[in-house]
Amino acid sequence: MPKPVPEPSRRPLIAVGLGGIAAAGLIGAAAWKLWRRAEPADPGKAAERGLRAGAAILSLAVLLDSGIEHYRGEFKNPAMFVAPTLALATLGMTAVEDEAAPYVFSAALAVGAAGVGFHSYNIGKRAGGFDMLNLFYAAPLGAPAALSLAGLFGLAAEHPGIAAPARIAPVAALALLGTAAEAGLLHFRGAFQNPFMFAPVTLPPLAAAVTAASSVSPEAAQVARPLLLGTALLGIAGPIFHSYGIHRNMGGWHNWSQMILQGPPLPAPPAFLGIALAALGLLPALERRG
Amino acid sequence: MFDAIDQPRAQDGRAPDVFRPGAWVQMRCYDDSEQVDFAIVGTGAGGGTLAAKLAEAGFSVVAFDAGPFWRPLEDFASDEAAQGDLYWTDERISGGADPIQLGSNNSGRGVGGSTVHYTMIALRWRPDWFKSRSKLGYGRDWPLSFEELEPYYEEAEESLKISGPVRYPWGKRRKRYPYREHPVNASGLVLARGCERIGIDWSPLPLATLSAPRGMAHPCVYRGFCKYGCSTNAKQSVLVTFVPRAIAAGAEIRDLAMVGRIEMGKDGRATGVSYNRRGKWRQQKARHVVVAGYAIETPRLLLNSACPEFPDGLANDNGLVGTHLMTHSGPGVWGVLDEEIRSYKAPPCMAGTEHWNYSDEGKDFHGGYAFMSQGPLPTDWAQTLAARGLWGAALRQEMTRYNHTAGLVLVGETEPQAHNRVELADEKDQYGLRIPRVTFSYSENDRRLIEHGRKSMHQVLAAGGAHQLWDTHDTSHLMGGCRMGDDPKDSVVDADGRTWAIPNLWVCDGSLFPNSGGVNPSLTIQALACRIGDRIAEMAKRGELDR
Ligand SMILES: Cc1cc2nc3c(=O)[nH]c(=O)nc-3n(C[C@H](O)[C@H](O)[C@H](O)COP(=O)(O)OP(=O)(O)OC[C@H]3O[C@@H](n4cnc5c(N)ncnc54)[C@H](O)[C@@H]3O)c2cc1C
Ligand code: SF4
């Protein structure tokens, strides 16, 4: 076993870490206060609100992420306009009551799925196929699924009869796992060079497991809350850490127009926030089932 | 960047901080009369790496480099012509049947050595090459095995945070590279497609440039100026890795300090070096001297240091110093593609195949070769075309196809031959030192290998979708000249780089290689340097160093 190699240069890891967590904590605490203050007494309403909020955040994340990434891909294929456009529409539908909402949400669900198919096809036809190189750098496999999820949450919010919390909880759990897997893949691509990069691959899977369990066990639902809150916090801390990551690229924020594309994606981590909020909304109903 | 060429920067207790514009780091400085443990000549892949290892082991070290101490963030312009100062372009005479062109394609000059402008391909050797005579029936055996060097390959890779593929198709099963592979540019994908169509493996190349941040060093931005100095510090040259480590551990780096002679005592031991800095000759006393000036300057210095006790040059009792010089043959094949390629984007070589390094089937020659995609910058490209005999309108016409051209380049093994060598010419350089004369001719085997490689590259490039293929010829890396061995009679140094003839004189650079292998040499040089550093520390502990 060779001795650890001395680093030729360092950056202030602990200070940055604490700063990032403190900032996320402050924002998170303020948001949580507002969220709790308006908590509906009826669990059904709470679930609807959570799902709507989740759909809104997910569609906002998809709007920015696909907008930036497809811009980077120069919108070479006109189909690349579809995702950001639909994400925008979905976002709108979460904000207002409109008759078109179910159609838009269904379209988001379908287009997200088609996007996964599209991206898979693109990867498959590249040299190397589904090798690590393409999984790292070609069109991301999991990303379009977030649009489907936004649509699904939107639909679920509108149809509490079909989409009972106990049915949606496993879906949210699966979504958390998928998002953690994507973060894991991309953080692995970044060689976990900063230890904070381990956060999204440790906490959310745990939260996912307990969330899935809460669809059958009210006790689990109680344990799920702090874990989901932690996951939501990650969704807020992520962009803060990612903006530090951008700063660590050549030119940093002075060179923002390039480094927003090359550095870690700012809009990706809020997917955790969106899914966690949806799941948090389901908890009151799940807790009461016992 | 010009002040770096005129005025030493590393002096008066400080050296440039390569990570912060305008900043300095503290550097311990030694007096000429202070006898340091090690004087190292050259701060490249071999010397710079060893300087860090020895300083970290607690030795006092002064490392000399004839070239400047660059500040990558400030000095390196995105201008091919302006960056010519990176190379060793002093006069040298090159002859033989296949004279090697010397300069930009094989020798750097400056703190960090050739790694400041190398293309960062970081490959291990095929394990059998260390015993190529006994296992493969050609070339020479090394005095050490792959297994002995393996932990040091790992150490070198870790020190440079090599960004490599998760699965590398060839060689012994290995630990995962410290950083992940980079995205492969379009010319790399042409190679990939071609290889897949003809049914051989290809791989993204492991590179010594960061795919993620590391401390103060930024990740690669894929602008492709690597051969002209990397201005982001993504390139893990010795200048931004081992040199800062060496300084932090108490070594002194002396830039713009050309060593002209190794001083010898009457007892047959080296006593230090004479060097020229700011036009003055001075002498540094040292208990040990390590020569790490690369395959031409190392033999040259040993030969130029001849004295009454060693009239044929130092460590040259058997006449081997400077002999068995090798290069890598580097034929290139180019072709035009319908789609846009822009091969100059990203580090020049991003994908490659070592198929013919590891598979010996159907070869009409000994040895192996790898080939990679390549991506020349505009001036380089125009020169390549002009060398084809194109001029005027024809040249301009061809240059318009720049964005649609992809090329492959070979790294072909050449045999060690005694008559391929470095000698001293009678002419002298600006310091009054005799300049080297380099003689090189390919062997028949080398030529067969080149032919085979050329055909393979044609096949792959055509299968990758290129048409109108054409050829170039070049050479790349240098190796040998002070080969290591088990037997004092037919080698210059032992497995630790210690010269057989003078117990406190060492060699630690690319000149150690007994054979040349079919991959780029610097990782092996750095692994050897890491090992030599550990070996010296062990010997010192056991009291065997000052024998
Ligand atoms: C354009 C180019 C691309 C390359 N690409 C790759 C690649 O992709 N992968 C790879 O593995 N290898 C590559 N190489 C080769 C690699 O850079 C060299 O093999 C390696 O750096 C040699 O290490 P070294 O220590 O022997 O010598 P160097 O790194 O060349 O260091 C020698 C140093 O000694 C100094 N010096 C010499 N004589 C004296 C003296 N008398 N006094 C003071 N200082 C002296 C020189 O100034 C120089 O800085 C490339 C080389 C070039 C030129
Ligand atoms: S392509 Fe990467 S390694 Fe090469 S010069 Fe640019 S940043 Fe440096």
Side-chain angles (χ1 to χ4, degrees), chain B residues 41-46 64-66 88 104-110 113-115 117-121 227 257-259 292-294 297 477 509-510 520-522 525:
Chain B
V41 184
T43 60
F64 298 84
D65 207 289
W88 192 293
S104 67
N105 62 337
N106 45 35
S107 342
R109 180 214 204 65
S114 306
T115 68
H117 62 93
Y118 78 155
T119 44
M120 313 171 295
I121 299 166
K227 261 169 81 178
M258 172 73 180
V259 174
Y294 206 7
E297 294 304 317
H477 325 110
D509 63 12
N520 318 52
S522 67
I525 298 173

Side-chain angles (χ1 to χ4, degrees), chain A residues 7 9 11 128 137 188 262, chain B residues 180-181 196 214-216 220:
Chain A
E7 277 301 311
S9 67
R11 280 186 187 253
Y137 296 109
F188 175 55
Q262 151 138 354
Chain B
R180 301 292 87 77
E181 63 222 75
E196 285 185 2
R214 176 192 197 184
M216 293 297 292
C220 178

Side-chain angles (χ1 to χ4, degrees), chain A residues 2-3 5-11 126-128 132-133 136-137 188-191 193 248-250 258-259 262, chain B residues 19 56 159 176 178-184 192 196 212-216 218-221 231-232 240-241 245:
Chain A
K3 287 167 269 158
V5 164
E7 277 301 311
S9 67
R10 286 187 179 288
R11 280 186 187 253
R126 290 172 71 92
M132 285 315 268
L133 179 72
F136 285 155
Y137 296 109
F188 175 55
R189 177 180 102 183
Q193 48 88 18
R248 287 185 69 185
N249 276 267
M250 185 64 188
Q258 186 183 349
M259 288 317 158
Q262 151 138 354
Chain B
F19 299 108
E56 284 162 1
S159 302
R176 181 175 296 144
Y179 275 26
R180 301 292 87 77
E181 63 222 75
H182 289 271
V184 171
E196 285 185 2
R214 176 192 197 184
M216 293 297 292
H218 308 287
C220 178
V221 295
S231 61
T232 69
V240 305
T241 54
R245 273 172 61 180

Side-chain angles (χ1 to χ4, degrees), chain B residues 120 209 220-226 229-232 234-235 346-347:
Chain B
M120 313 171 295
T209 175
C220 178
V221 295
Y222 309 112
R223 266 183 72 238
F225 268 87
C226 323
C230 171
S231 61
T232 69
K235 172 189 279 194

